[in-house]
Amino acid sequence: MSAHLDPRLLRGFVTVAEELHFTRAAVRLHVAQQALSRDVRRLERELGAELFVRTTRQVTLTPEGERLLPYARRVLRAQDALLAAFGQARPLLVDLNSPGLATPRRVLHRARELAPGHELMARYESGLTGAAGELLAGRLDASFGRFAGLDPALRAGLDHQPVRYEPMAVVLPEDHRLAALEAVPLAELAGETVYAGAGNPRTPEWTGLALQLFEGRGIEIAPPAPLAVGEEEFQRIMARTRNPVLAVVGFPAPPSMVSRPLVDPVPLSPVSLVWRRGLTHPAFDALRRAAARLAAEEGWLDKPAGGWVPAGDDVRMASRECHDSVRGPHGTSACATFNA
């Protein structure tokens, strides 16, 4: 075996081990598939061990590959830490889902304050399900959203940290019969057809939350519509359909529409910080600390009396282990969960 291993070979091996697919791994690494295959074969020669079983249908790790994986990850973490110490860390890519969502934006801004020497860059993937594929492929580092609403196959490769029970709202045409109310009781939406992203492949976790909230209340989900790309197109389609839109409190209402909080009960959207398992980056700890501190300071994880959350979400949000010693005025501890 060679006394010196190129970290590039280890990075290629780890990426293939995570993807179990050479083409996806090559896309993630921005290299040609043939070059990646050559690197893996070279690593196998240098180690004197076969690392993958390759067939036309699948790629799997051999026992030797399984044994190498934790060692390779430790080497790469050390390399990343060394580069970061000398100011060579890549930007941390953080998906904020939508420019109108205040919670992810506030967490990112606080993280930038905590890690002024690092670059944290915003991205907008419009839905946690849409972002999850990018997270698993390594094209994003972190996102926000309803972790329990993800497909279990996606959750298996991700970790999360509860951030907030975010109160929900409804966005209405300004001349709608409910627009004059300061807050809209859920019972008043009976008979309405409410837009909640049905048919959007990037946001099924949001549609699923709406389905559970509306069940037994006489509220219909608006059928799938052509996916509106851009704020102007969304406004045009909403003006044409005139359907109320399920949102969160603080989400800016488009022109000629108003936002009203939902009450009786207060529905809560469970928001987590979500990332790919095994992620290492010098600014990532700052992002987690920012989420934890804001949650503690603002009481974001305190549920209001009578607040509504789906049972499955509540279990995941409540199963937390403490991550930060900061406690806010509400006595909430800053915690993290790693349940799949």
Side-chain angles (χ1 to χ4, degrees), residues 266-314:
V266 175
L268 303 168
S269 172
V271 179
S272 288
L273 171 64
V274 183
W275 65 92
R276 181 180 66 260
R277 286 187 175 175
L279 172 66
T280 58
H281 190 284
F284 179 52
D285 182 63
L287 188 69
R288 294 191 64 184
R289 283 188 288 123
R293 291 181 181 182
L294 279 167
E297 293 165 8
E298 303 286 341
W300 279 353
L301 292 172
D302 296 340
K303 287 191 296 182
W308 175 92
V309 181
D313 294 71
D314 220 10

Side-chain angles (χ1 to χ4, degrees), residues 35-183:
L36 177 59
S37 296
R38 284 196 301 270
D39 283 350
V40 169
R41 287 196 296 270
R42 176 182 162 191
L43 181 62
E44 289 176 323
R45 287 196 303 271
E46 294 194 7
L47 292 176
E50 187 178 12
L51 303 175
F52 295 101
V53 177
R54 307 161 178 85
T55 71
T56 56
R57 293 182 176 272
Q58 63 180 355
V59 176
T60 58
L61 281 165
T62 64
E64 289 300 300
E66 295 277 6
R67 190 159 68 95
L68 173 63
L69 188 56
Y71 292 102
R73 282 174 168 156
R74 284 200 290 271
V75 169
L76 294 176
R77 282 196 294 267
Q79 183 191 39
D80 289 344
L82 184 151
L83 292 174
F86 287 87
Q88 297 183 39
R90 63 173 179 79
L92 186 74
L93 303 180
V94 185
D95 170 44
L96 304 187
N97 192 286
S98 167
L101 295 176
T103 297
R105 188 172 67 251
R106 289 189 62 188
V107 172
L108 178 61
H109 289 176
R110 176 66 67 89
R112 286 169 173 163
E113 293 172 0
L114 294 174
H118 296 290
E119 184 67 68
L120 292 88
M121 297 188 68
R123 294 289 186 269
Y124 301 94
E125 287 298 322
S126 182
L128 182 57
T129 297
E134 299 297 290
L135 292 172
L136 293 171
R139 292 186 287 270
L140 274 178
D141 294 310
S143 186
F144 294 83
R146 182 182 166 233
F147 185 73
L150 291 177
D151 185 282
L154 293 175
R155 288 203 307 264
L158 302 171
D159 277 333
H160 79 121
Q161 174 178 324
V163 175
R164 186 176 188 182
Y165 288 109
E166 195 157 31
M168 297 169 73
V170 65
V171 176
L172 305 157
E174 60 186 7
D175 59 352
H176 191 277
R177 64 181 180 86
L178 300 176
L181 299 177
E182 291 186 5

Side-chain angles (χ1 to χ4, degrees), residues 184-187 217 262-267 306:
V184 175
L186 269 170
R217 302 182 192 274
L262 290 168
V263 294
D264 301 331
V266 175

